[in-house]
């Protein structure tokens, strides 16, 4: 079984003066602005690292939710942030890290079992598998 999801980007003119628009097949994003100023200068709009972070956070949250349910934990709540680090790399830039920060409420689980299940979800979510950057996980389990 294969599932193909699409996104598109348009950018013009070229270089720092350019402005882009990104859209997703689902319509969740429609012509969302991005460019040099949204990536490096905190102007309104999105950027590739933020989009990657949203993909990683949502993928991990879903993978962990399913893993916890498979282990018999049905009640809980997961909040995940992904802090994606972009660093200068020669003449360009590289994404070097995606730090997953998890705040969880899971009824009836102990810290050791939670850490094991969360670590497995971190390693096995499809977005984690595609990234070559360091992927870390910091969590808080609230009881």
């Amino acid at each position: 079984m294969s599932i193909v999801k699409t996104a598109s980007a348009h950018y013009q003119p070229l270089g720092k003066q350019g402005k882009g628009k990104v859209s997703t097949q689902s319509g969740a994003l429609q012509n969302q602005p991005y460019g040099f100023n949204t990536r490096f200068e905190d102007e309104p709009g999105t950027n590739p690292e933020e989009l990657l972070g949203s993909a990683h956070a949502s993928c991990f949250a879903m993978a962990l939710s399913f893993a916890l349910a498979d282990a018999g934990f049905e009640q809980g709540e997961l909040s995940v942030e992904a802090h994606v680090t972009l660093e200068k790399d020669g003449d360009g830039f590289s994404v070097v890290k995606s730090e997953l920060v998890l705040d969880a409420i899971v009824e009836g689980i102990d810290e050791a079992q939670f850490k094991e299940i969360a670590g497995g979800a971190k390693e096995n979510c499809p977005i984690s598998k595609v990234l070559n950057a360091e992927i870390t996980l910091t969590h808080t389990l609230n009881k």
Side-chain angles (χ1 to χ4, degrees):
M1 178 177 117
S2 293
I3 298 171
V4 177
K5 303 292 182 182
T6 61
S8 62
H10 179 83
Y11 199 88
Q12 78 177 62
L14 303 179
K16 288 182 181 181
Q17 290 68 30
K19 302 290 182 198
K21 294 178 181 176
V22 62
S23 299
T24 58
Q25 173 186 345
S26 68
L29 296 176
Q30 282 294 327
N31 295 317
Q32 179 66 41
Y34 78 101
F36 180 87
N37 58 352
T38 65
R39 194 173 197 182
F40 298 105
E41 298 174 349
D42 293 328
E43 292 290 321
T46 193
N47 58 72
E49 293 73 36
E50 178 181 76
L51 295 170
L52 179 62
S54 67
H56 199 196
S58 61
C59 182
F60 170 71
M62 187 178 287
L64 180 54
S65 174
F66 289 4
L68 288 165
D70 287 348
F73 300 98
E74 298 286 332
Q75 297 301 315
E77 182 178 328
L78 307 173
S79 296
V80 181
E81 291 182 0
H83 300 205
V84 176
T85 303
L86 181 70
E87 290 184 354
K88 187 80 169 124
D89 183 13
D91 291 339
F93 291 86
S94 291
V95 172
V96 297
K97 185 176 184 178
S98 180
E99 178 186 2
L100 297 170
V101 179
L102 168 63
D103 189 17
I105 300 169
V106 181
E107 292 181 18
I109 196 167
D110 66 42
E111 182 72 30
Q113 188 178 20
F114 180 77
K115 186 174 183 177
E116 180 182 337
I117 293 171
K122 175 186 74 86
E123 295 300 322
N124 292 303
C125 98
I127 300 300
S128 289
K129 289 179 178 181
V130 78
L131 297 174
N132 290 322
E134 175 188 3
I135 302 168
T136 64
L137 170 63
T138 304
H139 75 273
T140 303
L141 175 62
N142 299 298
K143 294 184 179 185

